[in-house]
Amino acid sequence: IGFVVLWSFFTVMILVAQDQYVRSGADYDERKTTEDSYMGRGVQVVVGHYNGNLPDEKRKNLTEEQLNANNYKPVGDAGEMGKAVKLNAMEEKLADDIWSVNQFNLVASDRIAFNRSLPDVRKKACKEKSYPPPNSLPTTSVIIVYHNEAFSSLLRTVTSVINRSPKEVLKEIILVDDYSSREFLKTALDKYVATLQVPIKVIRATERVGLIRARLMGAAEAKGDVLTFLDSHCECTNGWLEPLLGRIKEDRKAVVCPVIDVINDRTFAYQKGIELFRGGFNWNLQFRWYAVPPHEIKRRSVDGTSPIASPTMAGGLFSIDRKYFEELGGYDHEMDIWGGENLEISFRIWQCGGRVEILPCSHVGHVFRKASPHDFPGKSSGKILNSNLVRVAEVWMDEWKHLFYKTAPQALQLKHSIDVSDRIEIRKQLHCKDFDWYLQNVWPEHFLPKPDSMFGRIKHLSASSSEYPCLHWAQVGGGSKRASLQKCGDNFDRTEVYLQIGSALKHECIVSRPGEPGKRHHTLTLTKCTLGFDMWQIWIYTKEGQIKGDEHQCLSAIQVSGSQQWIVQLKECGEYENEFWDYGTYKKTMVHRQSGLCLDQPIEKAKDASDIKTPSLQKCSRGGRRQQWELLRVDWL
Ligand code: UD2
Ligand code: MN
């Protein structure tokens, strides 16, 4: 009963509280630059919500002290100028206890004003660049879909749009509630939204439709010339919109994304993202950021504000001409809940005559989470994601779909029950190009097998001990890497990249593994060759001479300064001189082109699993299995 009483008390609080949730703009210089925005007209909004973000089951577990710890209104100048929010130990504990509700720090989020100030992270050339005046730019509908988003993160997204968009171009904000169960997203949200002096509407799905169909619902209502999609935990920075709309005015088939900055999931600190990354994907069809290749950086050095062509988009934040979105077939309506739609629309845009671009002058922050807070009703998240990815692969990837199925046999099993005929029809009607064209023209640096590259294992012919010593690489900070020889484990975790050497079962092969999500850490090891399709010991040896693993990893070597010694390492591919190898089919040697040295066994044997030892590039000797390698092709078609 006590909880019921508490709950009604808080509900009442939501309705009656007059705590200002937005700080007055006058204190913050940054806001002087937004006079043309709606907020420049002095919109003041009020709301109070007390633990309103928490579902009942979470609230029940909190102590009275925890419940009282936070008024869920901006405290002091918490988070201003994008600074980290500092919490005391008790608040941190509360944050941990309720972490899983949002998979970010709700206590920190609730401390920060909806209209917090942010640093201007743009480079000088961007600030100085001029765009067409707002009244000659296309207008935009900003569409934000959400399922059980926290009140503060949702409204901070909305406020940042209102605050930092020229009012002439902001046609409307459309919030699409994907069947949230949280009470505060109902009447309390409606009341709050009614106080905003901007065209804004809330559309509510009557069943859980997933983010893809929710966005389609928003798009169907939109009146602006351009659709701008945002996740529900974003913050737009000064000048975010003009580059996006300006570029679409120039080319209506350009689908443009801002640089996505990081709002720290624990502190809500605003961290500038790296402008020179672009979107790609791995063999498993997971979206990944990869470095823009050096030749492209060089080409762009003339004008650092120019768009970066991107093979794929991250998915959440982009602008697209509304009519073009329709012409292209919107989104695949059959995609459920979460995932895959970003690759699908990226392939479709490129293959059917458009472009996906990242605009370095547009910055929007996003809370990247390490886990999903969403439930996947009825099915497992894996099954839903795989069904979506089967749709991507079947419609757009032609023969490369088989590579995906090799890495995801569970997806292959779903294939028979999935019908993509209507999407294939769209592909035909739009006369879209094939996936081979996409790889060759949009992403020539890709690491998928090509007819003229070797795809398979790299096996060391030197007899290995029964210990199966592994060549293991670890990052030691500052980007430098140390190699070790370790006893091979059977269960490779995905945070490691192995270089496995040997014949199947007895010899060792080169194996590679990606880092943890969000971290660019890779490890290289020699382990016992396996017989199945272990993607981590499968490499592409290109005709140009690069040895690439999944995740854009290249086998390379650097010279120890002031010595003749070279060290083998695994690095993100970058067309650097030290990434090329020549394989002698007759001698079976793998010669490092820049040093002229031969890939050789590690100098010392591993003593135990944690023993770190340096592997070697050695002067090429005559004969000797130590320097002999065999390339074993793997079937993927
Ligand atoms: C990324 C994208 C996201 C989407 C996703 C793949 C960014 C920054 N984010 O994942 O937009 O493309 O990849 O699908 O590029 N939501 C619903 N209904 C659901 C599930 C989610 O409305 O059933 C909302 C959710 O509240 C959020 C948005 O969809 O606003 C994206 O979900 P997310 O934030 O969990 O996805 P994220 O950022 O991990
Ligand atoms: Mn998100």
Side-chain angles (χ1 to χ4, degrees):
I1 290 168
F3 296 119
V4 175
V5 173
L6 268 179
W7 173 220
S8 8
F9 171 68
F10 297 134
T11 313
V12 172
M13 284 283 290
I14 292 171
L15 302 180
V16 301
Q18 291 297 307
D19 293 326
Q20 282 218 331
Y21 224 71
V22 175
R23 293 192 192 95
S24 117
D27 308 344
Y28 301 103
D29 281 346
E30 185 232 6
R31 279 176 213 143
K32 286 187 188 143
T33 59
T34 60
E35 269 157 28
D36 288 337
S37 71
Y38 280 100
M39 206 48 101
R41 299 188 309 187
V43 174
Q44 286 292 311
V45 279
V46 290
V47 71
H49 70 115
Y50 191 104
N51 280 326
N53 281 318
L54 299 182
D56 281 350
E57 69 274 14
K58 284 287 166 189
R59 191 172 298 103
K60 276 181 204 158
N61 296 330
L62 300 181
T63 64
E64 186 105 14
E65 190 192 10
Q66 284 178 322
L67 282 168
N68 290 322
N70 208 320
N71 283 327
Y72 294 86
K73 62 182 180 187
V75 174
D77 62 354
E80 287 304 328
M81 286 314 285
K83 293 222 177 66
V85 175
K86 290 193 188 70
L87 299 175
N88 66 30
M90 199 269 285
E91 293 158 347
E92 290 284 4
K93 165 131 194 347
L94 171 60
D96 285 338
D97 287 348
I98 60 179
W99 187 274
S100 62
V101 176
N102 304 286
Q103 292 295 347
F104 59 64
N105 186 339
L106 177 66
V107 180
S109 177
D110 281 358
R111 287 288 163 96
I112 305 169
F114 293 166
N115 66 340
R116 78 151 151 183
S117 52
L118 292 175
D120 193 335
V121 293
R122 294 170 300 172
K123 58 178 155 219
K124 196 161 163 269
C126 288
K127 290 184 209 167
E128 287 165 0
K129 198 176 164 115
S130 59
Y131 295 93
N135 59 16
S136 73
L137 283 173
T139 65
T140 188
S141 302
V142 175
I143 300 170
I144 301 168
V145 307
Y146 57 92
H147 175 72
N148 283 339
E149 185 61 62
F151 200 85
S152 52
S153 45
L154 175 63
L155 270 304
R156 202 171 310 111
T157 309
V158 170
T159 310
S160 74
V161 171
I162 298 171
N163 242 345
R164 302 201 178 93
S165 310
K167 61 174 180 280
E168 294 90 336
V169 297
L170 185 60
K171 182 85 178 172
E172 62 193 341
I173 297 174
I174 301 177
L175 301 178
V176 187
D177 183 339
D178 182 12
Y179 203 53
S180 298
S181 53
R182 309 268 195 272
E183 277 307 314
F184 60 85
L185 291 172
K186 295 173 184 166
T187 327
L189 180 75
D190 287 337
K191 287 199 168 199
Y192 179 83
V193 161
T195 68
L196 298 172
Q197 297 164 39
V198 289
I200 177 166
K201 59 181 150 190
V202 187
I203 302 171
R204 291 188 168 87
T206 51
E207 59 176 340
R208 180 79 177 278
V209 294
L211 79 92
I212 297 117
R213 285 186 288 264
R215 282 188 196 158
L216 284 169
M217 285 173 65
E221 291 280 325
K223 302 278 186 303
D225 304 323
V226 167
L227 308 174
T228 297
F229 294 99
L230 292 178
D231 271 11
S232 45
H233 31 261
C234 288
E235 284 173 72
C236 304
T237 65
N238 267 344
W240 74 289
L241 195 52
E242 292 87 336
L244 302 174
L245 300 178
R247 179 69 184 123
I248 291 173
K249 184 183 158 85
E250 244 168 51
D251 178 356
R252 69 183 287 268
K253 292 188 177 178
V255 178
V256 288
C257 312
V259 174
I260 310 181
D261 294 328
V262 176
I263 301 171
N264 187 289
D265 58 348
R266 179 151 277 281
T267 66
F268 276 71
Y270 194 97
Q271 301 157 343
K272 183 179 175 178
I274 302 174
E275 279 168 13
L276 289 172
F277 277 165
R278 57 180 193 173
F281 54 92
N282 65 10
W283 297 345
N284 204 205
L285 292 186
Q286 289 163 305
F287 172 84
R288 289 282 190 272
W289 297 108
Y290 298 119
V292 172
H295 70 260
E296 184 59 20
I297 294 182
K298 208 170 151 203
R299 197 188 60 77
R300 299 186 72 264
S301 62
V302 184
D303 176 9
T305 69
S306 64
I308 297 168
S310 185
T312 69
M313 65 162 89
L317 289 56
F318 67 99
S319 295
I320 183 169
D321 181 278
R322 179 165 55 83
K323 297 217 175 76
Y324 183 53
F325 181 71
E326 277 162 32
E327 282 163 37
L328 262 184
Y331 269 125
D332 181 347
H333 192 268
E334 293 305 309
M335 286 192 169
D336 211 3
I337 306 295
W338 185 99
E341 93 294 342
N342 52 333
L343 296 191
E344 196 276 334
I345 200 168
S346 303
F347 296 162
R348 185 151 42 97
I349 293 164
W350 279 115
Q351 288 175 239
C352 310
R355 306 174 58 76
V356 177
E357 295 176 346
I358 296 169
L359 303 186
C361 292
S362 171
H363 280 255
V364 177
H366 169 261
V367 184
F368 286 93
R369 299 183 274 208
K370 294 176 187 79
S372 172
H374 310 300
D375 59 326
F376 288 72
K379 289 187 206 151
S380 73
S381 58
K383 205 167 172 187
I384 289 179
L385 181 61
N386 273 326
S387 304
N388 291 350
L389 291 176
V390 166
R391 302 187 68 81
V392 179
E394 288 294 322
V395 179
W396 298 106
M397 294 181 71
D398 303 319
E399 60 268 35
W400 274 272
K401 70 184 178 192
H402 299 294
L403 180 65
F404 166 61
Y405 291 138
K406 281 282 184 190
T407 69
Q410 327 82 286
L412 190 57
Q413 282 165 21
L414 297 168
K415 203 183 115 176
H416 67 274
S417 57
I418 292 174
D419 177 9
V420 291
S421 46
D422 57 331
R423 304 305 292 183
I424 288 181
E425 193 48 43
I426 289 179
R427 178 172 164 171
K428 282 196 195 126
Q429 276 170 16
L430 294 171
H431 304 293
C432 308
K433 299 194 178 78
D434 61 21
F435 205 66
D436 195 41
W437 175 89
Y438 168 84
L439 290 177
Q440 281 189 43
N441 294 279
V442 180
W443 196 17
E445 302 78 13
H446 73 84
F447 43 87
L448 276 63
K450 298 190 258 192
D452 60 0
S453 60
M454 194 292 297
F455 182 71
R457 296 185 169 77
I458 305 176
K459 179 180 94 171
H460 196 198
L461 285 182
S462 165
S464 68
S465 75
S466 55
E467 290 286 285
Y468 304 119
C470 293
L471 186 55
H472 180 111
W473 285 90
Q475 192 146 356
V476 219
S480 66
K481 285 172 183 153
R482 271 206 296 172
S484 66
L485 188 59
Q486 306 191 343
K487 189 176 169 194
C488 306
D490 282 335
N491 30 339
F492 314 118
D493 73 57
R494 295 175 60 95
T495 63
E496 288 182 333
V497 179
Y498 294 85
L499 174 63
Q500 186 170 2
I501 307 180
S503 86
L505 305 181
K506 193 175 176 212
H507 291 91
E508 289 162 337
C509 277
I510 303 175
V511 185
S512 92
R513 261 154 216 274
E516 284 168 53
K519 295 222 175 99
R520 301 180 80 77
H521 170 106
H522 295 261
T523 314
L524 173 69
T525 297
L526 292 175
T527 56
K528 194 164 100 171
C529 296
T530 58
L531 291 172
F533 191 91
D534 180 344
M535 59 200 272
W536 313 116
Q537 54 173 257
I538 293 169
W539 298 83
I540 309 243
Y541 178 48
T542 68
K543 77 170 193 306
E544 293 78 23
Q546 279 165 304
I547 300 176
K548 296 182 174 185
D550 191 12
E551 305 284 359
H552 213 215
Q553 291 297 299
C554 271
L555 199 64
S556 73
I558 46 161
Q559 187 165 21
V560 179
S561 63
S563 94
Q564 296 296 41
Q565 214 194 326
W566 287 70
I567 293 177
V568 181
Q569 60 178 8
L570 200 57
K571 287 202 91 168
E572 181 167 359
C573 305
E575 304 161 3
Y576 301 111
E577 233 186 302
N578 62 355
E579 278 169 18
F580 293 85
W581 303 80
D582 293 305
Y583 183 66
T585 319
Y586 175 70
K587 287 188 186 163
K588 296 190 189 300
T589 49
M590 186 63 88
V591 183
H592 182 240
R593 197 177 293 169
Q594 195 183 25
S595 63
L597 299 175
C598 279
L599 190 62
D600 204 317
Q601 69 187 12
I603 297 165
E604 297 164 82
K605 282 186 183 156
K607 290 194 207 94
D608 57 58
S610 59
D611 192 21
I612 292 182
K613 289 184 182 154
T614 313
S616 63
L617 256 186
Q618 304 289 340
K619 209 168 150 198
C620 298
S621 57
R622 258 199 280 157
R625 314 192 89 191
R626 292 177 8 209
Q627 294 187 349
Q628 290 194 323
W629 304 81
E630 226 164 56
L631 308 183
L632 302 175
R633 281 175 190 275
V634 165
D635 287 334
W636 61 277
L637 268 174

